[in-house]
Amino acid sequence: MSHIVAPSILSADFGNLSRDVQMINDSKAQWVHVDIMDGVFVPNLSFGFPVMKSIKKSSTKPLDVHLMIIDPDRYIDDFAAAGADVLTVHIEACTHLHRTVSAIHEAGMKAGVALNPHTPVSMLEGILNEIDLVCLMSVNPGFGGQKYIENTYKKIRDLVKMRVEYGADLKIEVDGGVSLSNYQKLLDAGADVLVAGNSVFSSTDPQSTIKQLLNL
Ligand code: DX5
Ligand code: ZN
C-alpha cells in the first residue's frame, strides 16, 4: 500500500489561503490536514468553522481534521457539515471514547484517535477494532514547526504489531516534525500517513517537497 502525505494547513499563509489550498490541489498530496485548537486542550488557538468551510470550498482533496479540543462530542455534526472526511479526537480529551467514535461514524465520517507523545499505544486496545486511523503525535500538540520526538518510531512499530494481533483495519498517521530527514525512517517503521506542515510550507518548492515525501 502506498502511503499518504497530508500537508498541514496550519503552516499555510492565511492571507493567501485559497492560493495555498490550490497548491495542495495541484500537488500529489492526497489529503489536507486541518488542525483545530481550542486554547484549553492545547495552549494555542487556531481557527474555526468559517475558515474550515472556506478550505473545503477550494479543496479537491479530503479533509483530515485533527481536533485538539476538549469535549469534542459537542461539535461532531458541525464538523461533518463543515466538510470533514476524517475526524480525529484525542484519547486524552474523551471520557466516553467509544461513544464519540460511534457518533463520528453515524455522522458519516471516518474516525481517528490521536495520542499525545506520552500516551502509550496500549491505551488503544479497547477501541482498535472500531477506528479508521490512529494519529501518533510526534510533538506535543499546539504548534507547527516543533522538533520530532524520537520515541515515536517505537510507538509506530508497537502499533503495527497490535494492528496485526487485533486484525484491525486502520491507518497509522504521524503528526509533528515530519521532514525530509526522518520521513523514510517513519515509513520503514510502518507509518501510512505523514502529516507535514513546516517542511512543506517553508520549502522554496512545496510541490517538490511533497513529491519527495511521497518518494516519487
Ligand atoms: C501540531 C499539529 C500539527 C502541525 C504539524 O499540534 O497537530 O498538525 O501542524 O506541523 P509540523 O509539520 O510543522 O510539525
Ligand atoms: Zn495535527
Side-chain angles (χ1 to χ4, degrees), residues 33 35 66 68 175:
H33 188 79
D35 287 308
H66 176 196
M68 286 158 275
D175 185 8

Side-chain angles (χ1 to χ4, degrees), residues 70-116:
I70 58 160
D71 201 4
D73 302 56
R74 292 171 295 167
Y75 298 114
I76 288 171
D77 290 337
D78 299 296
F79 279 106
D85 295 279
V86 183
L87 193 65
T88 295
V89 295
H90 265 266
I91 195 165
E92 302 86 1
C94 295
T95 311
H96 303 286
L97 184 60
H98 189 282
R99 177 181 290 152
T100 307
V101 164
S102 304
I104 293 172
H105 282 148
E106 275 160 30
M109 297 172 286
K110 299 265 190 217
V113 173
L115 265 57
N116 278 336

Side-chain angles (χ1 to χ4, degrees), residues 85-161:
D85 295 279
V86 183
L87 193 65
T88 295
V89 295
H90 265 266
I91 195 165
E92 302 86 1
C94 295
T95 311
H96 303 286
L97 184 60
H98 189 282
R99 177 181 290 152
T100 307
V101 164
S102 304
I104 293 172
H105 282 148
E106 275 160 30
M109 297 172 286
K110 299 265 190 217
V113 173
L115 265 57
N116 278 336
H118 74 279
T119 304
V121 293
S122 58
M123 292 286 288
L124 292 164
E125 275 175 22
I127 201 76
L128 215 59
N129 291 98
E130 317 289 334
I131 58 181
D132 307 290
L133 176 140
V134 172
C135 174
L136 295 176
M137 290 308 302
S138 39
V139 296
N140 287 294
F143 304 92
Q146 301 184 86
K147 189 172 175 289
Y148 172 81
I149 295 172
E150 296 285 323
N151 184 48
T152 315
Y153 296 123
K154 181 181 184 306
K155 290 176 78 174
I156 299 169
R157 289 193 297 266
D158 289 348
L159 187 53
V160 167
K161 280 187 210 142

